[in-house]
Amino acid sequence: MEQAAASQMAAKKNDKGHRRRLFYDTCGRWFFGAAACVMSIVIFAIIFLVGKQGLQTFAEVSPLEFFFSGQWDPLSGKYGALFFILGSFLSTALAILIGAPLGLMGAIFLAKVAPTWLQHIMRPAIDLYTAIPSVVYGYAGLVVLVPWLRETFGQATGFGLLAASLVLAVMILPTILSISTDALQAVDPSLEEASLALGATWWQTVQHIVLPAAAPGILTAVVLAMARAIGETMAVQMLIGNTPQLAVSLFSPTATLTSNIVVEMGNTLFGSVWGNALFLMAFVLLLLSLAMILLVRRFGQRRFA
């Protein structure tokens, strides 16, 4: 009888503990679900506010003028944003062309070549590198890079597309390095061992086995780097020249959507055509970022399927 009573008490205790764990599990799922809903609501609210305010521009300005005209002179009622859109796209593309190969090579070195002690030094250094404010990058480029470009290439000022893109390339390196290194280290070592056992060289193994296996993570790194590059403001505003004109060369001063917004937002009234046009620029920037991310992801799915 005593053993039966003890068994019943133990069963009740276990049942109570099981119910408690189920309750905690349910609360956890509701909590994380609520957090996801709040984040989604905040994101969609921002998009709705920016889009709603920006689209009011078309009540006064033709969409053809805004998207296909390069004449930006709000005091004269001209709101052509074509050159700003092209400036954002060109600076981001050039920064990715420079930064992505360098970041990938650095990731290969850290993941497959560097000794353990060097990895323990470099990973915290990369994290610290990420925490540097963008205005510091801009100031360093203003003091060091712009004079060097001016003197080396015989340019009048040194400001322009190349200066901004070089600094952007440096700024996106930590993102590409960190995520790509994790992706390369996550590849199953047995794949490399099998490739080497079949007679492949180390570089052939990295090129044909490791990189394709880590391609989704590397692509994610590039996408996040693009998102930072296209949305960067202060460093670009300090180096690109802030001139509403088409960049006909790497040294041509131009402007981006973000640089023009930060330069002119203090001169506008909320609800005015000028202010709405800046909101529309921000909305276009969101759409442009989304389009570039979807394009890269679709290309990656076709390439690495």
Side-chain angles (χ1 to χ4, degrees):
M1 293 295 291
E2 293 181 357
Q3 292 181 351
S7 299
Q8 290 180 356
M9 291 181 62
K12 289 182 179 179
K13 187 177 295 185
N14 291 334
D15 183 62
K16 186 179 295 183
H18 180 65
R19 290 181 180 179
R20 186 185 300 111
R21 288 192 294 271
L22 287 178
F23 175 74
Y24 290 157
D25 182 67
T26 302
C27 291
R29 282 185 292 177
W30 277 103
F31 175 77
F32 289 115
C37 291
V38 170
M39 289 300 301
S40 300
I41 292 172
V42 170
I43 292 172
F44 282 109
I46 293 173
I47 295 175
F48 176 78
L49 173 64
V50 174
K52 176 178 178 295
Q53 197 66 35
L55 291 175
Q56 294 182 18
T57 306
F58 295 142
E60 303 288 340
V61 181
S62 168
L64 292 177
E65 177 187 352
F66 184 85
F67 289 107
F68 298 101
S69 173
Q71 296 182 352
W72 179 266
D73 187 4
L75 298 179
S76 301
K78 297 178 180 179
Y79 298 94
L82 176 62
F83 294 158
F84 302 125
I85 298 173
L86 292 177
S88 295
F89 178 78
L90 291 175
S91 61
T92 301
L94 186 57
I96 291 295
L97 289 175
I98 297 172
L102 293 176
L104 181 57
M105 288 188 288
I108 293 174
F109 172 78
L110 283 176
K112 301 301 178 183
V113 179
T116 304
W117 65 268
L118 184 58
Q119 293 181 18
H120 291 164
I121 295 175
M122 292 299 297
R123 292 307 296 267
I126 293 173
D127 295 336
L128 179 63
Y129 187 20
T130 308
I132 299 176
S134 60
V135 67
V136 175
Y137 287 104
Y139 186 72
L142 190 66
V143 173
V144 178
L145 183 60
V146 169
W148 181 80
L149 291 175
R150 181 173 60 245
E151 296 172 3
T152 303
F153 296 97
Q155 299 299 313
T157 62
F159 294 97
L161 181 63
L162 182 60
S165 298
L166 286 174
V167 172
L168 280 178
V170 173
M171 293 178 67
I172 64 177
L173 276 177
T175 301
I176 298 176
L177 268 170
S178 181
I179 300 177
S180 297
T181 300
D182 291 338
L184 292 169
Q185 290 177 337
V187 176
D188 192 347
S190 62
L191 296 176
E192 302 177 54
E193 294 171 0
S195 176
L196 294 172
L198 290 173
T201 64
W202 176 84
W203 174 243
Q204 288 174 331
T205 300
V206 171
Q207 182 180 5
H208 297 291
I209 303 298
V210 177
L211 289 179
I218 296 172
L219 186 62
T220 300
V222 174
V223 168
L224 292 176
M226 289 174 58
R228 177 171 189 186
I230 198 170
E232 180 53 45
T233 303
M234 290 307 301
V236 174
Q237 189 268 336
M238 296 171 70
L239 298 171
I240 203 165
N242 302 306
T243 304
Q245 65 180 19
L246 180 64
V248 295
S249 72
L250 294 177
F251 300 98
S252 297
T254 184
T256 63
L257 292 168
T258 54
S259 66
N260 190 64
I261 291 172
V262 75
V263 167
E264 298 189 0
M265 65 181 179
N267 302 323
T268 62
L269 296 175
F270 183 80
S272 64
V273 181
W274 192 353
N276 291 339
L278 296 181
F279 270 100
L280 184 58
M281 282 181 156
F283 188 59
V284 170
L285 183 64
L286 289 174
L287 297 180
L288 185 61
S289 301
L290 178 62
M292 294 176 68
I293 290 172
L294 292 178
L295 181 64
V296 170
R297 285 194 177 277
R298 186 162 184 85
F299 172 76
Q301 289 174 355
R302 290 184 178 181
R303 173 65 179 83
F304 301 110

